[in-house]
Amino acid sequence: MPSDPCYAPGPRDRTVRHPDGRVIAVPEGWALLPPGDAGLTRKVKSLGDAWTVKEKRGRRMFSRGVWADAAQIETARELVEAQRASPAHQRKLDAGRRRREKAQAAYVVEFRSTVRRFLSFHPTHRDLEAKMAEAIATHATPVGSGTVARTQRISVERRAEAATIAWMRHQTTAYDHMHIPRVKGKRREVRRMLAERSRALLKRYRTGAPADPSDPLQTALSDAPEATRHRAPVPAVPPSTLSPQSDHEAAQREKYEQVRARLAARTSRRRK
């Protein structure tokens, strides 16, 4: 049986489903190598026939492992373990680790500089600009953080802007404590409204307006970087109490109120 096709899990134990729909029994003496060790999986496939099993869940494909002869898997495991125990392999791993650490350090510097260019505060607020950029970079750049700063789909300039707005949403607004109705598009609407407020706040510092000690940005940065890791509680503010700050926000608020009124009317008719 060729190892090229990608099989799906079968309906019964030790069965797989061929791409053409046929259910095939796994040969006697074969074992399932669980996913998780890419090097071992490659070695098993290189030694002989192997059936790759993947399962589609929604839009994503998940590996369920590789079926292969049990002796073949054991041979591959011994070869991989011997290779990984060799000094040459350890040197290769160390070199790769140093290379990644160097690249990460360079990216942190680049990202922090890009955030500062986006902030572009007035010279009287340059110290605050540096402190804010440091706090944002510290939060957003760690490997595995899952933040927008780690994506490669957009330019670093757009990453810096998005990370800044996201940081301000959590640090300078009551977003984390809001009770947002579970209405389609409502959370996105609230985020847009808070983003506009964040941009308005940034504009004040770009134009050189005097700093206010009670300013939420001043409060968030008063103890950075600890402020980034431990946010001070912000009083909960229901979305309905947020007064619009622009024509766009007013229009969004009006649309939301119309939708809510229609839903309430529909519910009332159903009860009758």
Side-chain angles (χ1 to χ4, degrees), residues 4 26 34 44 55 64 72 79 90-91 112 124 140-141 169 181 187 208 256 264:
D4 292 336
V26 175
V44 168
E55 184 177 13
R64 297 306 181 210
Q72 179 177 320
L79 292 173
Q90 291 300 321
R91 288 194 296 270
R112 183 169 56 239
T124 57
T141 57
R169 179 171 64 245
R187 184 169 295 275
Y256 168 66

Side-chain angles (χ1 to χ4, degrees), residues 102-119:
K102 184 177 180 180
Q104 170 65 7
Y107 177 64
V108 172
V109 172
E110 178 190 12
F111 186 81
R112 183 169 56 239
S113 299
T114 307
V115 171
R116 291 199 65 172
R117 287 197 297 273
F118 169 71
L119 294 176

Side-chain angles (χ1 to χ4, degrees), residues 183-201:
V183 177
K184 184 177 181 180
K186 182 57 185 173
R187 184 169 295 275
R188 188 178 299 111
E189 173 195 340
V190 171
R191 286 189 173 194
R192 280 198 298 263
M193 181 167 56
L194 296 178
E196 290 190 17
R197 294 191 178 186
S198 295
R199 289 189 172 90
L201 180 58

Side-chain angles (χ1 to χ4, degrees), residues 199-239:
R199 289 189 172 90
L201 180 58
L202 292 176
K203 185 177 180 180
R204 289 176 47 198
Y205 287 94
R206 288 167 178 159
T207 57
D212 183 354
S214 62
D215 187 298
L217 185 56
Q218 295 280 348
T219 303
L221 293 172
S222 61
D223 196 24
E226 287 76 12
T228 304
R229 298 193 298 267
H230 307 290
R231 294 192 290 268
V234 182
V237 180

Side-chain angles (χ1 to χ4, degrees), residues 78-249:
E78 292 173 1
L79 292 173
V80 169
E81 289 177 354
Q83 178 186 13
R84 290 174 176 173
S86 67
H89 183 72
Q90 291 300 321
R91 288 194 296 270
K92 182 179 179 181
L93 290 180
D94 292 340
R97 191 176 299 111
R98 289 193 297 270
R99 183 173 60 254
R100 290 190 297 272
E101 290 174 354
K102 184 177 180 180
Q104 170 65 7
Y107 177 64
V108 172
V109 172
E110 178 190 12
F111 186 81
R112 183 169 56 239
S113 299
T114 307
V115 171
R116 291 199 65 172
R117 287 197 297 273
F118 169 71
L119 294 176
S120 189
F121 285 174
H122 189 273
T124 57
H125 299 308
R126 285 295 163 79
D127 290 343
L128 186 70
E129 173 192 292
K131 198 171 186 179
M132 184 174 177
E134 179 66 31
I136 294 171
T138 299
H139 168 75
T141 57
V143 176
S145 61
T147 66
V148 69
R150 300 305 312 179
T151 184
Q152 298 296 321
R153 297 181 179 180
I154 57 178
S155 65
V156 67
E157 289 78 15
R158 290 180 60 193
R159 280 177 253 164
E161 178 180 357
T164 299
I165 297 302
W167 183 89
M168 293 184 69
R169 179 171 64 245
H170 292 287
Q171 297 290 342
T172 66
T173 75
Y175 177 77
D176 290 348
H177 305 275
M178 287 180 178
H179 175 69
I180 301 177
R182 300 184 66 177
V183 177
K184 184 177 181 180
K186 182 57 185 173
R187 184 169 295 275
R188 188 178 299 111
E189 173 195 340
V190 171
R191 286 189 173 194
R192 280 198 298 263
M193 181 167 56
L194 296 178
E196 290 190 17
R197 294 191 178 186
S198 295
R199 289 189 172 90
L201 180 58
L202 292 176
K203 185 177 180 180
R204 289 176 47 198
Y205 287 94
R206 288 167 178 159
T207 57
D212 183 354
S214 62
D215 187 298
L217 185 56
Q218 295 280 348
T219 303
L221 293 172
S222 61
D223 196 24
E226 287 76 12
T228 304
R229 298 193 298 267
H230 307 290
R231 294 192 290 268
V234 182
V237 180
S240 58
T241 64
L242 293 173
S243 57
Q245 299 294 310
S246 67
D247 293 341
H248 172 72
E249 292 180 12

